[in-house]
Amino acid sequence: MNEKSIGIIAEWNPFHLGHEYMVRSIREAYGNSFIMAVMSGPFVQRGEPALFDGWTRARWAVEGGVDTVFSFPVLSVLQSADRFAAYGVHLLASMGAHILAFGTESLEAEALLDAASFSLTPSHKEALHEALGEGLSYAEASYEAMKSHSPFLAEELSKPNNLLGFRYAETILQNHFPMTIHVVHRDMERNISASAAREELLHTGNTNLLPQKAQEEAAELMKSGCYTDFSRYSDACLLSSRLLSEKNLSETGLFSEGLEHKWFREIGNGDYETMLRAIKSKRYLYSRLKRIGAQLLLSAPGPSPFAAPPLPSYARLLALRRNRSEALNHIPLPIITSMARAYKKADKETRRSLEMDIRASDIRAWCQHSPLYRGGRQEFYHSPLIVNK
């Protein structure tokens, strides 16, 4: 394939007007180049199920200008932001992406590469360890270490999308991937966010923050009860924790610094959110606790596969623009279009990853608001969605 292949790491929970603007900007910069995305499927990085299923969200993205969307394995998704970024970059590099495109609040590609280059030096490592030794949290220590290089970059990297872009750039440099980065600045005046879209949908059943067709479909999904009921999810997380002993928690490998003991002490709470608030501290951020809860729910007792997952080794297709199907022949990784067929032939490592995807999908389905949509094993019945547009 002579044209450039552009990769996007996404959650699209859901795909909104800001995402559509980003894709349009990439098109304006690179014309008819092949745009492929790896997207969180049943669960998202913050540690909870997506509001809508992965196939629907992937189709909305293709209708919004992306050429194809692949599922980001849940083992890679439910990780800290830096590991999420690293797994995503590794996956797209393995798929042959030449350019990584993403949004930031302010920083340009050159500034992100400057920050990433410094982060890989002995000077940064020394400054980071010194700050950690003073009792600072990892985020605070990272800020101080970067400040020794550039106070401006340290301040700008406190913004979430700038920080994620920095992690992308860091992974590219660290692994010498032949990949450049393309930055699209977010529209900070309108500042459309997926969290605002979800909030509107959950409270009113509608939102004007999505492209027109997706907006209409989302309203129908909400009306029919085909969306994640987060109270059901919270109850499932609380129950799964209660079924584990303190020894079980220790054996998972998901906890550090004795956090499992505090977790165990609080599982008697009658409400999951109350439990998390009781555990939360300056060192144990809410986002980390949410991911641990999700990882415990998805894992069987014993060492958790989320503690040290392997790099993604396959590309599972969710949605594709019909007239770009030929480009799939140039992706080096095995492409999965049938879960049943792939699971049957998979090696042990791939099967374990697929098992977690199946389990994540089953749990998300169980959390649907309407019982009509709670059927399990959906991963075996869904084929990739082909969009004619």
Side-chain angles (χ1 to χ4, degrees), residues 7 36 40 60 65 90 111 113 135 137 167 187 190 223 227 234 241 289 315 333 358 361 376:
M36 59 182 177
S40 304
W60 288 345
H90 273 276
L113 290 168
S137 68
R167 294 299 184 192
D187 183 350
R190 295 175 66 194
K223 185 177 179 180
Y227 65 91
S234 293
S241 284
L289 300 180
L333 279 186
I358 295 165
S361 181

Side-chain angles (χ1 to χ4, degrees), residues 325-344:
S325 58
E326 188 276 335
L328 298 185
N329 297 326
H330 301 279
I331 293 177
L333 279 186
I335 295 177
I336 293 176
T337 56
S338 165
M339 176 62 86
R341 195 161 52 240
Y343 187 77
K344 186 177 181 180

Side-chain angles (χ1 to χ4, degrees), residues 19-34:
H19 299 135
E20 186 180 54
Y21 166 77
M22 175 181 165
V23 174
R24 188 164 61 246
S25 297
I26 295 169
R27 281 273 174 239
E28 289 172 357
Y30 297 100
N32 201 38
S33 294
F34 184 63

